[in-house]
């Protein structure tokens, strides 16, 4: 390695000797200290070029001992190379991969090119693996990750690093990210610190340290004003001014090259180089990675003597150490590139592409060839498409989309160009870039002529709309695609009809669902598949043919044991719902979530978790439901699945309603409605509105609850949903009876009887019996309540519904002067509501119990209610028998993070072993397992 020259050493010392920045240094010191102590924290440094971001990273590294430090810097030439920056950051830590859970280990190994990987739609597994690897690297003294020029790192690396940054809590990892001030919008969710110019005193100190003579007071003030206190501008300008100018005896240059013109200073320095020096600097700028050997070989290929590098180095524009060359500042590199012609740039890209002839350099070669191209060239386009395929296989979807879009630009053949734009749209969507996906999709639609491709584009458009746009538009797109391939590919047509039915179900468009069922039945060569049977059965049920629809759905569910995929299980959930078997539907929803977590196809997890969280709420496991909804909401927002976010918000509103958390319920509901109404997602709008009605019901505001529930029955497509209507029937009956509107209550019971005619589970019959009891008097009512409680017990745990039946039964007994008989069901209801955290319902049961003559103190909350959502998710999986590594893989955590949370869970629950946890969880209402939940 070369010895550092005195000039280099001085620059380095000056770089670390920061002037001012007391607040910034304190914040960074706090982050480093926290990580050293075992906590986790991330911080983004925003600021204009030259403001001192890199110097602060250097300062953090210098003061981090004995922590391990990992560092990476984004470079423009690697912005399209998936996981390039991640490889730079983690290459020294790959020996720790075997400590990760298997799925995470394989995903990270594939992303870093250490193992083969299979294409999936997973956006989160690599990110979770990176978090686990950073956590392992933090043992034993902590870890500091420094990422500079974040605006230029590839998108796959950015996604993985931001996933980790948003989740650092207890891992002993500190992460500092430096980014230009105008390029940090996508870093939301990570705390940030905005760097501005130096204060007057610090700026004056910097000027004095870099000037040939101490500047006069008025000159210093003028320079600070003109530069905005930018340290780089102050350093560079101070070095350019004469002694007379600094002393105020001669005027300052006008205009002064500062602010947006800082690059002009470097540009002038570049212009002063000889032509050969400018060319070798351009080769270094285009190559971007600082590979000195490659740069010099390219110079030789272009007829430049490698010795021409020396004047460039002597001018202070670059520094050479060992086998690496680095520009003094990113703006130097930008100035070199800007002062070159397009012809020169293409020549350099061509030379570099010719020298990068190894398999390991295939991606960089492809991009250099693309940059050197001036017209369409299938050879270059194919090479870039192959690079995109490699990026996609490693999970770098956003980067694959960029490569495919550029490949399409270079593709001569119209049909091939349409295909590549279609693939680019898919990759952009999976990479969380919906705007880019829409652009590529529009380009592909203009070019496509082949029917199957047109149908595929319609399906893509539908998926985009369903996840983040107007559900009615999604429905139309799916039907359009199904019509196009109906004769040529009935299987594909059925798939798109299922998508259309899903969209129509989100909207709440009953007529469309009926029509789709008929279309599925009339498909040419239609088989007797599970999916086709479900579509036909649901359509028949909604068309009023309950007998035929029920039989068809029942036959379909006979195959339920054969189902394993998350999508199939969600259709089974829908089938059970339309049969009126809420408990069975909830069980299929839980199974779907488990399947999505272990399948490796977790990109669909935010959507699947919508149904899982709803299922857990219906099962009465409120804490688990909220924990899953919060997880799903986070993942949905990170993936750009706006409509999925609305679903999780609506479910959180419903859970908050049961718990009596009025402010939270209203906030979640309003957020959900703000998305669901304009996007025509009637299912989620209905759930959010239902949550507000349930809050009123629990608080005893029966008239308000009755009005809200009645409005659900008249809300049209896009604002309400038939499933919400029938699932809310027991609540509507209770509210109507409490208001004295027995006519509305009887009509609701009648509709519930029709919905439940094919229900074969005790839980569904229990709710119907309870509703009938509310409309009866005397012994008939008592008999129906007792029947409902017997069915609840027979059907397995549904604690919230069972407790509500006990409460209503106890209230009826007390009001008929049977206070002694009322105490036992009221006591049971109180204990269950208290364990669930259903505060308003517990208060109502407590008041009734006192009115029945029993003076009883309110029991304390269940120990499980003291757990955080993350702790609750972990406890549940551990109770099922999952190891720490399995839990980490399913919840996108590191094993050490799981261990940390368990360390907190045990004392909260007053236990010390996994066996005790399984016993406690197995008997707690939040976790009770019954037939409805399916096999654990």
């Amino acid at each position: 390695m070369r010895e550092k020259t005195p000039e280099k050493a001085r620059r380095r010392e000056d770089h670390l000797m920061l002037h001012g920045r007391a607040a910034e240094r304190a914040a960074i010191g706090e982050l480093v200290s926290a990580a050293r102590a075992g906590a986790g924290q991330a911080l983004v440094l925003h600021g204009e070029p030259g403001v001192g971001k890199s110097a602060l990273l250097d300062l953090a590294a210098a003061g981090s001992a004995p922590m391990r430090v990992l560092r990476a810097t984004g470079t423009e030439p690697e912005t399209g190379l998936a996981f390039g920056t991640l490889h730079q950051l983690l290459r020294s830590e790959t020996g720790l991969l075997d400590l990760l859970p298997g799925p995470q280990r394989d995903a990270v190994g594939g992303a870093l090119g250490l193992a083969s990987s299979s294409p999936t739609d997973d956006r989160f597994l690599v990110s979770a693996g990176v978090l686990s690897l950073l956590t392992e690297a933090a043992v034993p003294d902590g870890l500091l990750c420094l990422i500079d020029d974040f605006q230029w790192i590839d998108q796959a690396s950015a996604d993985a690093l931001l996933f980790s940054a948003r989740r650092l809590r207890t891992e002993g990892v500190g992460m500092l990210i430096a980014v230009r001030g105008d390029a940090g919008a996508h870093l939301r969710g990570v705390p940030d610190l905005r760097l501005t110019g130096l204060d007057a005193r610090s700026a004056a100190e910097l000027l004095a340290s870099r000037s040939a003579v101490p500047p006069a007071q008025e000159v210093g003030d003028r320079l600070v004003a003109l530069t905005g206190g930018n340290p780089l501008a102050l350093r560079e300008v101070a070095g350019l001014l004469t002694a007379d100018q600094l002393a105020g005896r001669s005027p300052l240059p006008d205009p002064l090259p500062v602010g947006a013109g800082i690059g002009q200073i470097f540009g002038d320095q570049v212009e002063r180089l000889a032509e050969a020096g400018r060319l070798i600097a351009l080769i270094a700028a285009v190559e971007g990675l600082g590979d000195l050997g490659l740069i010099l070989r390219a110079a030789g290929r272009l007829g430049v003597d490698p010795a021409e590098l020396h004047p460039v180095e002597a001018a202070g524009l670059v520094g050479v150490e060992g086998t690496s060359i680095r520009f003094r500042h990113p703006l130097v590199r930008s100035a070199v590139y800007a002062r070159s012609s397009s012809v020169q740039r293409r020549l350099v890209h061509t030379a570099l592409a010719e020298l990068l002839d190894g398999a390991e350099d295939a991606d960089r070669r492809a991009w250099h060839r693309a940059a050197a191209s001036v017209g369409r060239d299938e050879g270059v386009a194919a090479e870039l498409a192959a690079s995109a395929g490699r990026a996609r296989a490693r999970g770098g979807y956003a980067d694959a989309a960029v490569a495919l879009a550029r490949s399409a630009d270079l593709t001569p053949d119209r049909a091939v160009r349409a295909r590549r734009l279609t693939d680019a749209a898919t990759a952009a969507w999976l990479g969380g870039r919906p705007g880019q996906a829409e652009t590529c999709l529009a380009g592909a639609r203009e070019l496509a002529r082949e029917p199957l491709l047109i149908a595929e584009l319609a399906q893509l458009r539908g998926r985009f709309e369903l996840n983040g746009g107007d559900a009615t538009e999604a429905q139309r797109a799916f039907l359009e695609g199904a019509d196009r391939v109906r004769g040529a590919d009935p299987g594909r047509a059925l798939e798109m009809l299922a998508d259309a039915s899903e969209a129509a179900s989100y909207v709440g468009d009953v007529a469309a669902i009926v029509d789709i069922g008929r279309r599925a039945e009339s498909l040419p060569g239609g088989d007797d598949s599970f999916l086709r049977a479900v579509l036909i059965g649901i359509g028949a049920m909604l068309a009023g043919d309950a007998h035929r629809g029920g039989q068809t759905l029942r036959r379909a569910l006979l195959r339920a044991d054969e189902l394993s995929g998350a999508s199939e299980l969600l259709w089974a959930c829908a089938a059970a719902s339309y049969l009126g078997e809420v408990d069975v539907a909830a069980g299929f929803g839980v199974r779907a979530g488990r399947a999505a977590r272990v399948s490796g196809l977790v990109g669909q997890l935010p959507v699947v978790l919508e149904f899982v969280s709803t299922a857990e709420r219906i099962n009465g496991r409120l804490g688990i439901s909220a924990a899953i909804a919060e997880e799903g909401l986070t993942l949905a927002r990170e993936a750009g699945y706006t409509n999925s976010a609305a679903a999780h918000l609506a479910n959180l509103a419903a859970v908050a309603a049961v718990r009596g958390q009025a402010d939270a319920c209203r906030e979640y509901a309003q957020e959900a409605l703000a998305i669901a109404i304009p996007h025509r997602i009637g299912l989620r709008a209905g759930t959010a509105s239902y949550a507000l009605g349930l809050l009123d019901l629990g608080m005893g505001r029966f008239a308000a609850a009755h009005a809200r529930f009645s409005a659900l029955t008249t809300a049209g497509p896009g604002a309400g949903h038939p499933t919400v209507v029938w699932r809310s029937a027991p609540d509507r009956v209770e509210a109507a009876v409490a208001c004295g509107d027995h006519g509305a209550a009887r009509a609701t019971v009648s509709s519930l009887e029709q919905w439940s005619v094919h229900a074969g589970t005790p839980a569904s019959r229990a709710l119907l019996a309870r509703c009938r009891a509310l409309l009866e008097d005397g012994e008939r009512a008592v008999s129906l309540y007792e029947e409902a409680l017997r069915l609840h017990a027979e059907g397995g745990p549904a604690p919230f519904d069972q407790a509500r039946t006990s409460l209503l039964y106890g209230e009826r007994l007390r009001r008929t002067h049977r206070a002694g008989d009322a105490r036992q069901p009221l006591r049971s209801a109180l204990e269950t509501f208290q364990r669930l955290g259903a505060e308003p319902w517990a208060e109502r049961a407590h008041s009734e119990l006192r009115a029945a003559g029993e003076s009883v103190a309110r029991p304390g909350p269940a120990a499980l209610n003291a757990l955080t959502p993350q702790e609750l998710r972990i406890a549940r999986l551990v109770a099922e028998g999952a190891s720490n590594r399995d839990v980490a893989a399913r919840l996108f955590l590191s094993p050490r993070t799981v261990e940390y949370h368990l360390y907190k869970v045990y004392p909260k629950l007053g236990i010390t072993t996994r066996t005790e946890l399984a016993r406690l969880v197995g008997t707690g209402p939040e976790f009770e397992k019954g037939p409805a939940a399916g096999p654990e």
Side-chain angles (χ1 to χ4, degrees), residues 270-271 275 278-283 285-286 302 333-350 371-372 374:
V270 171
E271 288 291 344
E275 183 178 350
R278 289 201 300 272
L279 184 55
I280 204 166
L282 177 60
I283 296 169
V286 170
L302 292 174
R333 182 176 175 275
S334 299
V336 168
Y337 201 81
R339 295 302 175 102
S340 65
S341 69
S342 59
V343 174
Q344 289 174 314
R345 295 170 196 164
R346 287 196 297 272
L347 286 172
V348 171
H349 280 296
T350 300
V374 292

Side-chain angles (χ1 to χ4, degrees), residues 401-738:
V402 173
L404 283 164
R406 177 59 177 146
S407 173
D409 288 342
L410 295 169
T411 301
D413 184 81
R414 179 191 184 105
V416 177
R417 193 157 70 250
R419 175 73 262 170
R420 285 171 177 160
L421 281 171
T422 302
D423 293 342
T426 303
W429 182 258
L430 292 173
R433 300 293 175 266
Q436 182 186 5
E438 292 285 358
T439 299
C440 293
L441 182 65
R445 291 175 69 187
E446 289 182 6
L447 296 167
R449 294 293 181 269
E450 199 272 319
L452 289 178
L453 180 59
I454 293 174
E456 182 180 347
L457 290 168
Q459 189 173 26
L460 277 176
R461 175 169 165 261
R463 296 312 307 179
F464 297 170
E465 289 286 351
L466 190 58
N467 281 313
D470 188 325
T472 56
E473 288 299 319
Q475 178 183 322
R476 280 193 283 270
F478 290 135
L479 288 175
E480 172 193 331
D483 286 342
R484 285 187 176 276
V485 296
R486 178 183 177 85
D489 190 347
R492 185 67 174 269
L494 178 64
E495 180 184 320
M496 281 187 270
L497 285 175
D499 288 338
S501 182
E502 179 184 355
S505 181
Y506 273 51
V507 173
D509 189 340
V510 173
I513 299 172
V514 171
D515 176 61
I516 290 165
R518 291 169 179 157
R519 292 187 188 210
E521 190 169 16
S522 66
L523 278 175
D527 57 15
D528 192 27
S529 69
F530 167 79
L531 181 58
R532 183 167 180 264
V534 172
L535 294 179
I536 293 170
I538 291 174
M541 291 285 285
L542 291 176
D545 192 348
H547 177 72
R548 177 170 177 264
Q551 285 187 329
T552 304
L553 292 176
R554 185 68 64 193
R555 284 196 303 270
L557 287 181
L558 290 176
R559 312 177 197 175
D561 290 341
E562 305 169 9
L563 305 179
S564 58
S567 178
E568 294 175 317
L569 288 166
L570 288 180
W571 279 111
C573 174
S577 292
Y578 280 98
L579 286 171
E581 297 178 350
V582 180
D583 50 343
V584 175
F588 282 125
V590 172
R591 284 176 59 190
R594 190 173 298 117
R597 288 193 189 278
V598 301
S599 67
L601 299 178
V602 296
Q604 64 182 310
L605 191 57
V607 177
V608 174
L609 290 184
E610 300 172 20
F611 299 91
V612 179
S613 58
T614 300
E616 297 290 18
R617 173 170 57 82
I618 291 170
N619 281 338
R621 297 191 275 261
L622 303 180
I624 281 293
S625 176
I628 290 172
E630 288 182 5
E631 178 189 9
L633 179 60
T634 298
L635 294 175
R637 284 172 169 165
E638 289 183 346
Y641 290 5
T642 307
N643 293 346
S644 184
H648 292 297
L649 288 165
N651 193 63
L652 284 168
V655 172
V658 174
R659 289 174 161 175
Q661 298 165 340
D663 290 343
C665 175
R666 295 189 189 100
E667 182 178 343
Y668 286 134
Q670 291 306 318
E671 282 190 71
L673 289 167
I675 299 170
I677 295 297
H679 288 196
R680 304 281 294 162
I681 317 170
L683 179 59
R684 306 314 176 192
T687 301
S689 298
Y690 165 74
L692 295 171
L694 189 60
L695 177 66
D696 287 331
L697 183 62
M699 295 292 188
R701 300 189 288 259
F702 298 116
H706 183 39
R708 287 192 188 276
F709 291 145
S710 297
L712 287 176
T713 65
T714 58
H721 199 279
T723 298
V724 178
V725 170
W726 74 260
R727 282 186 176 170
S728 66
D731 307 286
R732 285 189 286 126
V733 172
E734 183 176 340
V737 169

Side-chain angles (χ1 to χ4, degrees), residues 809-889:
Y809 179 36
E811 288 176 337
R812 177 62 65 91
L813 289 173
R814 189 187 68 76
R815 284 168 175 71
T816 55
H817 310 293
R818 295 172 59 179
D821 294 334
R823 292 169 191 157
Q824 190 280 327
L826 290 173
R827 195 181 305 117
S828 174
L830 172 60
E831 291 172 353
T832 299
F833 289 142
Q834 191 69 26
R835 286 198 306 271
L836 294 174
E839 180 61 26
W841 302 88
E843 182 58 37
R844 177 172 155 188
H846 187 233
S847 298
E848 285 290 332
L849 196 55
R850 283 186 300 176
E854 182 168 322
S855 180
V856 59
R858 286 277 302 275
L864 292 174
N865 290 339
L867 302 185
T868 66
Q870 187 75 291
E871 291 167 352
L872 200 54
R873 287 191 289 266
I874 290 170
R876 182 193 192 202
L877 292 174
V878 170
E880 291 178 0
S883 68
N884 285 7
R885 287 163 67 93
D886 290 337
V887 174

